[in-house]
């Protein structure tokens, strides 16, 4: 059963930025509300109020809504028109398909001088003889009744016959009140019988059963019962309930609602039982990871030797929110939770979880996980020792080859000389030093152009 709460009003006040104190229009239809409350304190500026198709049994707590112009209370359990005198601006009132039997209660609307439209069709009072003439004469400010315009001649005739019509209405009201009292007693009796039946059908675990007192235990089938048989019994009970004729009373509406609510709860319990599944095994007892693809997504796993990494491309749904995806990279496997469903893949090589990255593709929406591989030497086990030995052996062979292939460089010192940059001094007295002194070049006597000048000192 629903109630009018602040949260309910705010959720239905999105057009007013969820502000309720200045709200002018509010729709609370089909909320299973049983009582009118809080609106006269929280929403005093209301002009339009929709409350149709609920379970409201009494008009109350709306007298402070001075600006209210339209009130819709169709398809409720209202039995009397009351407490609307304070709604000074009320123009239209809809009470279609309620349980109003006291037609004389429409006189309380005489204080609503701005009331122009009234709907009472579908109520027990609408079947009274002289119903329309009584309402037309009692509410002179009305222009429309049940969607039909009130003509001037009709009102004059109703006013002329009002004393006789009022007497007829009073007699019919008394007969209806007696019938209504009997219906209430019958409804209370049925409700009491149903409660006693439910209490009697519940197993009493404190008191021993007759089978236990005789020393016999019931069979397992009798304890648990056959679920198919139980389901068949429930469907038969439901079919019997809907085929059973019921009177048009507020109690019958409440009974129907209770039955539907019970069915909904049973369905929720059944669905909860179906949802409970055994946890999916991702890691075996001996610590071995398994390949799991519960979301049933396409994927590709590539070994990028150029960048020394492993790339996982998981085809998640393009428009799925990234907050519904959780990635966990481990040295030997990667796990992706997609909307709570696990996708796990064992990797062909050991990777570095701390250096891994996960991104969504902006074009396809795929999840791309890049996992750098660990170096050639993998710690632990005989595999590691073998890899170390092979690496050291290759290093030695490579060193020997380099030593055998020693290259010698020949440089002509006369053509290539480099100055000593550290000892460069500007001046005429000091000659620039060279890394290596130039060798003395002696001319050959066999050279025909050679002339020996004795005045030239020899080179030292």
């Amino acid at each position: 059963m629903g109630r009018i709460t602040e949260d309910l009003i705010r959720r239905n006040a999105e057009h007013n930025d969820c502000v309720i104190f200045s709200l002018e229009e509010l729709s609370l239809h089909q909320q299973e509300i049983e009582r009118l409350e809080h609106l006269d304190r929280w929403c005093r500026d209301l002009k339009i109020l929709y409350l149709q198709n609920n379970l409201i049994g009494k008009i109350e707590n709306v007298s402070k809504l001075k600006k209210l112009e339209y009130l819709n209370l169709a398809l409720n359990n209202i039995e009397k028109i009351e407490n609307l005198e304070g709604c000074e601006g009320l123009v239209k009132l809809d009470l279609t398909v309620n349980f109003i039997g006291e037609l004389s209660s429409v006189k309380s609307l005489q204080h609503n001088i701005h009331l122009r439209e009234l709907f009472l069709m579908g109520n027990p009072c609408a079947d009274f003889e002289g119903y329309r003439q009584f309402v037309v004469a009692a509410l002179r400010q009305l222009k429309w009744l049940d969607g039909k315009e009130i003509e001037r001649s009709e009102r004059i005739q109703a006013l002329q016959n009002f004393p006789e019509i009022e007497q007829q209405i009073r007699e019919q009201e008394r007969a209806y009140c007696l019938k209504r009292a009997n219906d209430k007693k019958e409804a209370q009796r049925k409700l009491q019988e149903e409660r006693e039946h439910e209490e009697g059908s519940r197993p009493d675990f404190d008191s021993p059963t007759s089978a236990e007192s005789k020393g016999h235990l019931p069979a397992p089938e009798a304890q648990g019962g056959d679920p198919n048989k139980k389901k068949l019994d429930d469907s038969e009970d439901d079919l019997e309930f809907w085929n059973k004729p019921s009177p048009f009373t507020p109690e019958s509406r409440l009974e129907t609602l209770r039955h539907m609510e019970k069915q909904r709860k049973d369905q929720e319990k059944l669905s909860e039982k179906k949802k409970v599944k055994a946890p999916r095994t991702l890691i075996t007892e001996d610590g071995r990871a398994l390949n799991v693809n519960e979301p049933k997504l396409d994927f590709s796993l590539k070994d990028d030797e150029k960048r020394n990494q492993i790339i996982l491309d998981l085809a998640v749904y393009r428009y799925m929110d990234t907050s519904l995806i959780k990635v966990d990279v481990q040295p030997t496997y990667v796990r992706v939770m997609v909307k709570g469903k696990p996708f796990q893949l064992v990797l062909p090589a050991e990777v570095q979880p701390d250096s891994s990255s996960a991104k969504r593709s902006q074009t396809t929406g795929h999840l791309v996980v890049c996992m750098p591989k660990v170096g050639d030497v993998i710690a632990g086990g005989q595999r590691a020792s073998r890899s170390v030995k092979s690496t050291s052996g290759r290093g030695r062979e490579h060193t020997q080859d380099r030593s055998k292939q020693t290259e010698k460089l020949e440089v002509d010192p006369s053509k290539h000389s480099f100055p000593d940059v550290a000892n460069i001094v500007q001046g005429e007295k000091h000659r620039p030093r060279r890394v290596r002194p130039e060798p003395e070049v002696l001319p050959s006597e066999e050279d025909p152009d050679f002339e020996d000048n004795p005045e030239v000192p020899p080179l030292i």
Side-chain angles (χ1 to χ4, degrees), residues 167-329:
Q167 186 177 359
Q168 292 178 359
I169 295 296
R170 294 289 185 185
E171 293 176 357
Q172 295 176 78
E173 279 184 355
R174 284 194 292 268
Y176 174 79
C177 289
L178 291 174
K179 180 178 177 297
R180 180 77 186 97
N182 295 329
D183 292 340
K184 285 183 179 180
K185 290 181 180 179
E186 185 67 19
Q188 290 178 357
R189 185 184 63 80
K190 287 184 178 180
L191 183 61
Q192 186 66 24
E193 289 179 357
E194 289 179 2
R195 289 178 179 176
E196 292 177 355
H197 179 69
E198 289 178 359
E199 291 178 356
S201 61
R202 292 175 185 173
D204 190 2
F205 296 102
D206 297 333
S207 61
T209 59
S210 59
E212 292 174 348
S213 61
K214 294 180 181 179
H216 299 287
L217 293 175
E221 292 81 1
Q223 289 180 353
D226 189 1
N228 296 329
K229 184 178 179 181
K230 184 178 180 182
K231 186 175 181 180
L232 183 62
D233 294 341
D234 293 340
S235 61
E236 289 179 356
D237 293 341
D238 182 56
L239 186 62
E240 182 183 358
F241 176 82
W242 291 112
N243 291 333
K244 180 180 63 175
S246 60
F248 181 64
T249 60
E251 290 77 17
S252 63
R253 286 198 66 196
L254 292 173
E255 183 183 2
T256 304
L257 183 67
R258 283 195 299 267
H259 180 76
M260 294 174 64
E261 190 174 358
K262 182 182 177 182
Q263 279 188 326
R264 185 167 59 247
K265 288 181 178 180
D266 294 341
Q267 191 67 24
E268 288 177 357
K269 290 180 180 178
L270 186 62
S271 60
E272 287 178 359
K273 290 180 180 179
K274 289 182 179 179
K275 287 180 181 178
V276 175
K277 296 181 180 179
R280 189 65 179 264
T281 303
L282 301 177
I283 306 295
T284 59
E285 295 180 356
D286 56 353
R288 183 170 55 87
L290 301 177
N291 291 327
V292 178
N293 188 2
E294 192 169 322
K296 298 180 181 179
L297 300 174
D298 296 333
F299 68 95
S300 64
L301 189 68
K302 299 180 181 179
D303 191 353
D304 189 357
E305 296 181 355
K306 186 176 180 180
R307 294 184 177 84
N308 195 31
Q309 63 180 357
I310 298 174
I311 301 175
L312 171 65
D313 188 343
L314 186 61
V316 298
Y317 310 109
R318 178 179 296 182
Y319 300 106
M320 179 184 289
D321 191 355
T322 309
S323 61
L324 301 174
I325 304 172
K326 296 181 180 179
V327 183
D328 182 18
V329 179

Side-chain angles (χ1 to χ4, degrees), residues 347-392:
L347 302 175
E350 189 174 355
V351 298
Q352 301 177 13
D354 297 338
S355 303
S356 302
S357 63
K359 297 180 181 179
R360 291 284 298 275
S361 174
Q362 295 182 355
T363 55
T364 62
H366 290 193
L367 177 68
V368 181
V369 185
C370 300
M371 299 165 283
K373 293 190 290 186
V374 179
D376 294 338
V377 181
I378 302 177
Q382 299 177 358
R383 184 179 176 184
S385 61
R386 292 176 184 174
S387 62
V388 172
K389 289 179 181 180
S390 61
T391 306
S392 60

Side-chain angles (χ1 to χ4, degrees), residues 25 81 113 131 137 153 184 295 305 339 356 361 432 444 450 460:
E25 182 176 347
I81 303 174
I113 58 176
Y131 146 75
S153 58
K184 285 183 179 180
E305 296 181 355
K339 295 179 67 175
S356 302
S361 174
S444 175
F450 175 72
I460 300 174

Side-chain angles (χ1 to χ4, degrees), residues 25 32 64 73 75 94 105 117 119 130 155 164 241 352 379 386 405 434:
E25 182 176 347
E32 298 182 358
K64 295 181 181 180
L73 285 167
L75 292 166
D94 192 345
S105 62
E117 293 184 61
F119 292 87
R155 176 167 280 115
E164 299 176 0
F241 176 82
Q352 301 177 13
R386 292 176 184 174
Q405 299 176 359
R434 299 184 181 276

Side-chain angles (χ1 to χ4, degrees), residues 10 19 29 107 149 183 219 265 267 279 283 330 340 437:
R10 290 191 187 279
V19 180
H29 61 282
K107 289 185 177 181
E149 187 177 3
D183 292 340
K265 288 181 178 180
Q267 191 67 24
I283 306 295
Q330 296 296 330

